Every structure is written in C-alpha cells, then in structure tokens.
Amino acid sequence: MNLREQKKLETREAISDAATRLFVEQGFEKTTITEIAQAARVSKMTVTNYFARKEDMALDHHEQFVAGLAATAAARGEGETVFAALRRSLLEGVAAQDPIIGFAGQEFSRMIAESPTLVARLRDLHEQREEALAWEFGELDDVMARAVAAQLAGAHRVIFAEVQRRTLAGESNAEIAAAVSGDARRVFDLLEPSVGRF
C-alpha cells in the first residue's frame, strides 16, 4: 500500500469511527452528514465521496460481510463440501467472537436495533450475502442454487440474530459464544440430511 492509499484508508476509517460514535450517542436517524464531517474534520463532500450511503458508515464492513459466505465456499479445502466449510467457518467465528457474525457489543447492537433504517439495511445485506453464495454455485441451475444458498445462508442469519438478541439482553460475549456454539451445531445437524453432501 502506497502513501496515497494509506491516507485514503485512514480518512475512511476516521469518517466511519466518527459516524459510529455519533450514531451510538444520538441515534442513527438524528445524526446528520454535516455533524459527521465536523467530527471527522473533513468536508461534507469528502464524507459522501467515501460513503455513498449513510448506513454504510455504521456497517462499514458490509462488503466483507456480503462476500463472506461465497468466499468461504470458494476457498474450501480439497474434498470439503460447501456445507462443511460453512459450518466450520461459523463455528470458528463464534469461537473467535467475530463482529462479522454479530459480536459487535451492546451499544453497537442497540444502535442497529433502534434504527429502522439500519435494520432494513442489515436485512438487505443478508439477502445480498445469500445471493452471492448462490452465484458461487455455478454448476447448479438457478432454482437449486438459490434453494441451497437460502438454507445455508439462513443458518448463518439465524445465528447472527441470536448473537444480537443475547447481546441486547446483556449477556457477555463468552456466555453468548458458549450458548450459540451449541445452537449452530444443532442448526447444521438439522440441515445436514438435505444439503450436507453438496
């Protein structure tokens, strides 16, 4: 990464950090682009150049989130099924308490839950994630690809929602990880007869 790219990354992170802090403090809908620009010490135009959507300042890792399941499927080991790769990835994420699968802390989780805009955007990102996984199944016809992707992405979505629910209820990350690990195993056990060999 050259100096210019490093500077752009730092600016993007500064905007996202300032925005998230304001969203947590005063709510997503009440926070303006002007306030974010002032807090990040950049112009309003700079904010909109880096972030086309206000929601993406809060959900800054949305591209990684959307691509994650498809990337896991594509990078699976030789002889490993997509099902096994996605189960392994989810259990590893739970053990690592990864923010991408929902371990984002109570303040951040509350910020999302209290914003209809962010709730809708998160739902959209889950749908994009499912669609990206379906596209990874190039050898299947469209209906089969969507059906399998819906099952596997749905398992990840349910666990994400459970992590969020427990976070908002005040449970610690360690407590959530212990409980959700068992939930994830049971969900994938339920799916295995139908898509386990895929």
Side-chain angles (χ1 to χ4, degrees), residues 147-163:
V148 174
Q151 295 291 312
L152 295 173
H156 282 255
R157 183 187 295 218
V158 166
I159 297 304
F160 185 99
E162 182 64 5
V163 171

Side-chain angles (χ1 to χ4, degrees), residues 68-131:
L69 300 184
T72 297
R76 66 192 184 277
E78 186 177 346
E80 185 178 33
T81 64
V82 172
F83 176 87
L86 292 178
R87 177 173 54 187
R88 173 182 47 76
S89 175
L90 180 58
L91 291 172
E92 288 172 355
V94 170
Q97 300 172 16
D98 189 345
I100 291 292
I101 63 166
F103 289 89
Q106 195 171 46
E107 285 187 342
F108 190 86
S109 298
R110 185 174 292 113
M111 174 194 76
I112 293 173
E114 292 177 351
S115 167
T117 304
L118 290 178
V119 168
R121 178 59 173 157
L122 187 57
R123 187 180 308 116
D124 178 53
L125 292 175
H126 276 291
E127 290 174 1
Q128 289 181 42
R129 193 181 206 201
E130 179 182 312
E131 184 177 333

